[in-house]
């Protein structure tokens, strides 16, 4: 990951003139095809994927182009539907730090917002203060990423992590990570929930439905967290200057206290004021007791129906 340090000077220079578009000076990425950056840049700049012109321009075979495209998808520059996920400016800064599998998580899905929150903890309080911020295997995922980026390093002898960079360097790295890697703003433009049957929705459908209901009840800044590895929170939202971290549970039985504990932990990690669990069912007595102790709000089937009718209080 020497590229992180080698390209910082180039990135710093780009900040001196906002009218000059930044362009990465990196030419190749170890482990990827020599034309990976060039082909990816062509796709992002033209916001389209045309295999034959790429074959002709770079004298590549179809199989070579397909392999490069597969690597571009792995980097999340393209999504599964071949749509470009980042702007030209985001791409150029991203290339400065990108390595294959740099954001690979064994136990979760990388979320830029979580990465930034953990970084704040590390630079304000130290690495040890992150240990209880998430389940242990997810903490390891993020610490491994920070090691790959040379933000921290593990000392085997002392059994501790050392911080290798200044906070300003860490913040520059964060700026190089495209917003595609963070929780996404909810888009209600194509939603049609007339006569919706929330009892027969998938978990993801129920999350989007809850986001729709929140919007109808005056909530704003609604974001959906990544579909997995969401750290116990599915929706982020605000209303009347109060921020909410919401977990959605579409169950066939009542919700137990595990969901309460997850929501409570997720609220702290996302720096939200209130944790909520919303469900199409009801809560067990143990869950209600846990929620009361932790200050987690419970929105059950009755509350959901009340909100569907626009009666949020």
């Amino acid at each position: 990951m020497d590229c992180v340090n080698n390209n910082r000077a180039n990135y710093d220079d780009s900040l001196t003139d906002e009218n000059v578009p930044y362009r990465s000076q990196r030419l190749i990425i170890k482990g990827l095809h020599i034309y990976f950056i060039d082909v990816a840049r062509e796709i992002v700049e033209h916001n389209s994927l045309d295999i034959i012109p790429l074959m002709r321009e770079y004298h590549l075979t179809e199989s070579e182009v397909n392999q490069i495209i597969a690597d571009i998808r792995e980097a999340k520059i393209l999504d599964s539907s071949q749509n470009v996920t980042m702007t030209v400016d985001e791409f150029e800064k991203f290339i400065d730090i990108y390595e294959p599998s740099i954001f690979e998580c064994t136990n979760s899905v990388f979320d830029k917002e979580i990465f930034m929150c953990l970084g704040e903890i590390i630079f304000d309080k130290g690495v040890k203060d992150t240990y209880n911020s998430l389940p242990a295997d997810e903490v390891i995922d993020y610490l491994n990423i920070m090691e790959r980026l040379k933000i921290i390093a593990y000392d085997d002898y002392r059994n501790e992590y050392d911080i290798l960079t200044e906070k300003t360097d860490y913040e520059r790295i964060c700026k190089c990570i495209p917003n595609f890697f963070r929780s996404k703003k909810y888009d209600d433009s194509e939603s049609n929930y007339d006569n919706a049957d929330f009892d027969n929705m998938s978990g993801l459908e129920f999350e989007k439905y809850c986001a729709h209901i929140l919007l109808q009840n005056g909530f704003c800044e609604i974001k959906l967290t990544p579909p997995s590895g969401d750290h116990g929170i599915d929706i982020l939202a605000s209303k009347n200057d109060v921020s909410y971290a919401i977990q959605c549970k579409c169950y066939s039985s009542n919700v137990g206290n595990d969901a309460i504990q997850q929501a409570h932990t997720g609220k702290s990690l996302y720096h939200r004021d209130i944790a909520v669990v919303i469900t199409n069912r009801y809560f067990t007595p143990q869950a209600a007791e846990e929620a009361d102790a932790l200050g987690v709000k419970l929105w059950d089937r009755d509350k959901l129906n009340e909100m569907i009718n626009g009666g949020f209080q």
Side-chain angles (χ1 to χ4, degrees), residues 95 116 128 182 209 298:
I95 285 300
M116 293 171 66
K128 284 186 177 180
R182 73 189 308 161
Y209 180 62
L298 303 183

Side-chain angles (χ1 to χ4, degrees), residues 195-206:
N195 303 314
D197 181 5
F198 53 68
D199 286 322
N200 290 306
M201 292 180 177
S202 68
L204 184 57
E205 288 171 339
F206 185 65

Side-chain angles (χ1 to χ4, degrees), residues 186-188 191-199 201-217 222 224 235 248 250 278-280 304-305 307-309:
Y186 173 64
D187 182 5
D188 198 50
S191 299
N192 183 3
Y193 291 111
D194 293 341
N195 303 314
D197 181 5
F198 53 68
D199 286 322
M201 292 180 177
S202 68
L204 184 57
E205 288 171 339
F206 185 65
E207 290 172 20
K208 292 181 178 179
Y209 180 62
C210 289
H212 168 77
I213 296 303
L214 290 169
L215 187 64
Q216 301 306 307
N217 281 268
I222 300 171
L224 300 174
I235 300 174
C248 305
C250 189
I278 185 170
T279 181
N280 63 317
L304 178 60
N305 280 315
M307 294 175 69
I308 290 171
N309 295 318

Side-chain angles (χ1 to χ4, degrees), residues 108-121:
S108 57
V109 173
F110 179 80
D111 185 336
K112 178 178 176 179
E113 198 155 355
I114 298 296
F115 178 82
M116 293 171 66
C117 289
L118 291 179
E120 289 292 325
I121 294 172

Side-chain angles (χ1 to χ4, degrees), residues 237-282:
S238 297
K239 184 172 182 177
N240 299 329
D241 295 324
V242 177
S243 59
Y244 293 77
I246 302 169
Q247 184 177 92
C248 305
K249 292 295 186 185
C250 189
Y251 278 5
S252 57
S253 58
N254 291 343
V255 178
N257 61 343
D258 283 351
I260 312 306
Q261 295 167 0
Q262 293 167 4
H264 176 68
T265 301
K267 180 204 79 167
S268 299
L269 190 60
Y270 280 104
H271 299 293
R272 298 284 152 157
D273 299 320
I274 296 175
V276 178
V277 182
I278 185 170
T279 181
N280 63 317
R281 304 293 298 183
Y282 296 94

Side-chain angles (χ1 to χ4, degrees), residues 8 123 151 163-172:
R8 276 186 188 140
F123 284 98
I151 295 168
I163 301 174
L164 302 182
T165 67
E166 299 293 331
K167 189 174 182 179
T168 52
D169 292 326
Y170 157 77
E171 290 170 344
R172 290 189 184 99

Side-chain angles (χ1 to χ4, degrees), residues 15 39 59 75 81 100 109 118 127 130 134 144 157 165 178 205 269 293 298 304 313:
L15 300 178
V39 171
H59 305 287
S81 300
V109 173
L118 291 179
V127 180
T130 66
L134 296 169
N144 286 342
Y157 181 75
T165 67
E205 288 171 339
L269 190 60
L298 303 183
L304 178 60
Q313 296 294 330

